[in-house]
Amino acid sequence: MTIDAPADPRPADPRSFLFVLGSSRPGGNTEILARAAAEALPPGAAQQWVDLAGLALPDFQDGRHEAGERIGGDAEDLLRDATLAATDVVLASPLYWYTLSAHTKRYLDYWSGWLGEDGLDFKARMAGRTLWGVTAMADREHAAADGLVTTLTHSAAYLGMRFGGVLFGNGSKPGDVRRDTDALARARTFLAGEAPLARFSYERVPVVA
């Protein structure tokens, strides 16, 4: 299914998680790792899952500096509403060519359109929310995913969001990540707690005296 949400989330936890699956393959290693992280969330934390591969979402057309009203389709409306309803957005993208998957990048491109949408106040409404990343990759060196990490960090920083980092897992063939016991152990606490405000890589962290 394209959308999957719990039938009866308890309202005790104010956090609401949107899990955005960006793989071209259902049930892949990145999704397995993301669902392992979700299993550790408190029972009262609402979850919504969106599989980008199952959405009829066209390539983003940038019309921010053109006259006339921009009309979105059903898939875009679903993504926009789900994004704005979440306190925490978890981008689950495999590492493709050392960065985000095409599906995931297309979703972020739509953020550019929402920034310019009259009356939406997308940037102001996203400020203070938290962005997280989950990725599975064949390379065991996390530095291979620096491009993916930078994209997420800078995107969060531009919007004034918090950034909880990236949960890494190792795997190539379907199901490989289940053998990465370290990644599955990290998944149990990955989404817990409050993440720091995101900063651009060229910004200096203030020194507290």
Side-chain angles (χ1 to χ4, degrees):
M1 291 181 64
T2 299
I3 309 170
D4 178 19
D8 186 25
R10 285 183 272 175
D13 194 317
R15 298 173 75 187
S16 175
F17 287 80
L18 172 64
F19 290 86
V20 181
L21 302 177
S23 177
S24 60
R25 177 171 58 193
N29 289 304
T30 299
E31 180 177 346
I32 291 170
L33 194 56
R35 292 194 180 276
E39 287 175 0
L41 289 173
Q47 299 178 34
Q48 183 174 11
W49 293 75
V50 175
D51 184 355
L52 296 175
L55 289 179
L57 187 69
D59 287 340
F60 173 67
Q61 300 296 320
D62 191 351
R64 286 173 293 172
H65 305 293
E66 300 175 3
E69 183 180 359
R70 180 173 168 276
I71 306 298
D74 291 342
E76 180 184 349
D77 292 345
L78 181 153
L79 282 173
R80 183 191 59 237
D81 293 347
T83 301
L84 289 172
T87 61
D88 297 73
V89 178
V90 184
L91 296 185
S93 169
L95 186 69
Y96 289 157
W97 289 107
Y98 308 104
T99 188
L100 298 167
S101 70
H103 290 307
T104 310
K105 179 58 168 60
R106 182 186 292 120
Y107 166 61
L108 287 180
D109 286 348
Y110 272 87
W111 286 21
S112 299
W114 301 338
L115 283 168
E117 192 169 320
D118 289 340
L120 190 61
D121 296 325
F122 184 74
K123 187 173 184 179
R125 293 171 69 180
M126 293 300 289
R129 305 184 191 207
T130 305
L131 184 67
W132 309 81
V134 178
T135 190
M137 57 185 184
D139 201 309
R140 293 186 179 276
E141 295 294 334
H142 293 176
D146 282 352
L148 180 149
V149 175
T150 298
T151 295
L152 297 184
T153 304
H154 286 192
S155 297
Y158 177 75
L159 292 174
M161 299 178 71
R162 298 179 179 275
F163 182 54
V166 176
L167 175 61
F168 294 98
N170 181 256
S172 180
K173 294 184 294 185
D176 273 356
V177 78
R178 292 192 175 96
R179 294 195 290 269
D180 188 344
T181 55
D182 289 341
L184 295 176
R186 290 192 299 270
R188 289 195 288 269
T189 58
F190 177 62
L191 298 173
E194 187 172 354
L197 283 173
R199 296 186 179 277
F200 290 100
S201 57
Y202 50 80
E203 288 185 302
R204 292 185 176 181
V205 178
V207 177
V208 179

